């Protein structure tokens, strides 16, 4: 399953028109880069309007009470659609657990290891996010982490879905899915790279030329 990793409503709409996307993820860094000073609520409402499935919105408060009140505010925008992205940590686990108890969809994020994601899954999180590119930046292969995590979730019957983000190359997508990710969230430029293969372009050009040049 693929999600779109973007804060740009027009980009989200363009990818949803392909019929391949089931959700959207955002984070404060891509929001700052792509949407600058735009209003968060207006941007998320615009994304909700052009998509279906969960739209992850990340918390940025520094303490537990702030995180919970921020979560309640975002959740109210679209209770069935907004998924609260909770930064991983001790406080993050408490917040994720409190939200899960209230049946609020959660995406525990910024995780790099099996142990972190396993702890997040035990809270009842809807998604547990592993950051492929950031793990690979440190010289480690992310695939065994995804494989072990998938085996453990299946073994214990835990309901969390493994969401792999921080996708830098088209090949990261197939690697993550092959390793057992339930969902990969992909930036639109990489989704567009997934379209291309030189032999596909060649085959289509050959077929169209043959059709145009056929004998009458
Ligand atoms: C997705 O949910 C993440 O926020 C995102 O993919 C992180 O990507 P980055 O490592 O390129 O910042």
């Amino acid at each position: 399953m693929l999600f779109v990793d973007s804060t740009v409503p027009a980009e989200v709409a363009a990818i949803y028109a392909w019929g391949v996307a089931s959700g959207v993820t955002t984070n404060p860094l891509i929001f700052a880069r792509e949407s600058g000073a735009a209003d968060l609520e207006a941007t998320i409402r615009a994304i909700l309007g052009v998509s279906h499935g969960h739209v992850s919105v990340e918390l940025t408060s520094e303490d537990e009470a702030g995180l919970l009140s921020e979560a309640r505010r975002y959740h109210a925008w679209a209770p069935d659609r907004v998924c609260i992205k909770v930064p991983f940590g001790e406080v993050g686990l408490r917040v994720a657990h409190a939200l899960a108890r209230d049946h609020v969809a959660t995406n525990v994020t910024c995780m790099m290891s099996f142990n972190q994601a396993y702890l997040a899954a035990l809270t009842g999180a809807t998604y547990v996010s592993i950051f492929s590119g950031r793990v690979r930046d440190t010289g480690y292969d992310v695939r065994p982490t995804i494989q072990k995590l998938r085996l453990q979730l299946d073994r214990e019957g835990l309901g969390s879905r493994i969401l792999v983000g921080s996708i830098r190359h088209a090949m990261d997508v197939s690697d993550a899915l092959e390793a057992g990710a339930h969902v990969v969230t992909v930036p639109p430029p990489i989704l567009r790279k997934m379209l291309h293969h030189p032999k596909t372009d060649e085959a289509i050009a050959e077929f169209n030329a043959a059709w145009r040049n056929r004998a009458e």
Side-chain angles (χ1 to χ4, degrees):
M1 195 178 276
L2 292 178
F3 283 8
V4 187
D5 200 19
S6 174
T7 65
V8 181
E11 283 286 77
V12 173
I15 302 300
Y16 264 77
W18 298 0
V20 302
S22 307
V24 181
T25 52
T26 68
N27 74 40
L29 178 61
I30 55 174
F31 194 95
R33 272 193 200 137
E34 297 176 340
S35 302
D39 179 67
L40 178 65
E41 180 175 351
T43 305
I44 297 299
R45 285 190 185 280
I47 290 172
L48 287 164
V50 296
S51 63
H52 55 77
H54 280 137
V55 175
S56 286
V57 185
E58 188 156 345
L59 305 176
T60 56
S61 299
E62 304 284 340
D63 60 61
E64 189 166 345
L67 288 161
L68 283 168
S69 101
E70 196 186 343
R72 306 277 174 221
R73 187 156 56 88
Y74 300 161
H75 176 68
W77 294 343
D80 295 338
R81 300 275 317 279
V82 167
C83 179
I84 304 299
K85 217 169 173 191
V86 184
F88 179 79
E90 191 173 337
V91 174
L93 290 179
R94 288 203 297 266
V95 168
H97 185 47
L99 294 173
R101 269 198 315 249
D102 289 347
H103 308 289
V104 174
T106 53
N107 171 357
V108 179
T109 191
C110 298
M111 294 183 292
M112 314 291 160
S113 72
F114 170 91
N115 280 346
Q116 292 178 323
Y118 179 54
L119 289 170
L122 290 170
T123 69
T126 314
Y127 303 99
V128 291
S129 281
I130 297 279
F131 276 15
S132 167
R134 289 181 190 249
V135 171
R136 288 182 157 174
D137 282 347
T138 61
Y140 289 93
D141 185 353
V142 73
R143 290 170 297 179
T145 303
I146 300 167
Q147 279 159 359
K148 282 194 289 181
L149 184 59
R150 178 61 184 264
L151 281 174
Q152 192 62 26
L153 296 187
D154 290 351
R155 198 179 288 132
E156 289 193 40
L158 294 170
S160 298
R161 317 285 285 166
I162 302 170
L163 197 165
V164 175
S166 188
I167 295 296
R168 310 268 167 83
H169 304 279
M171 205 175 163
D172 298 338
V173 178
S174 51
D175 279 354
L177 291 169
E178 194 183 346
H182 295 94
V183 187
V184 186
T185 188
V186 189
I190 293 173
L191 283 159
R192 292 195 175 90
K193 284 188 180 165
M194 289 169 68
L195 295 169
H196 293 295
H197 192 289
K199 294 300 279 183
T200 299
D201 300 341
E202 180 189 296
I204 293 170
E206 198 181 322
F207 294 167
N208 287 349
W211 185 250
R212 278 193 306 272
N213 300 329
R214 71 192 184 282
E216 291 299 326

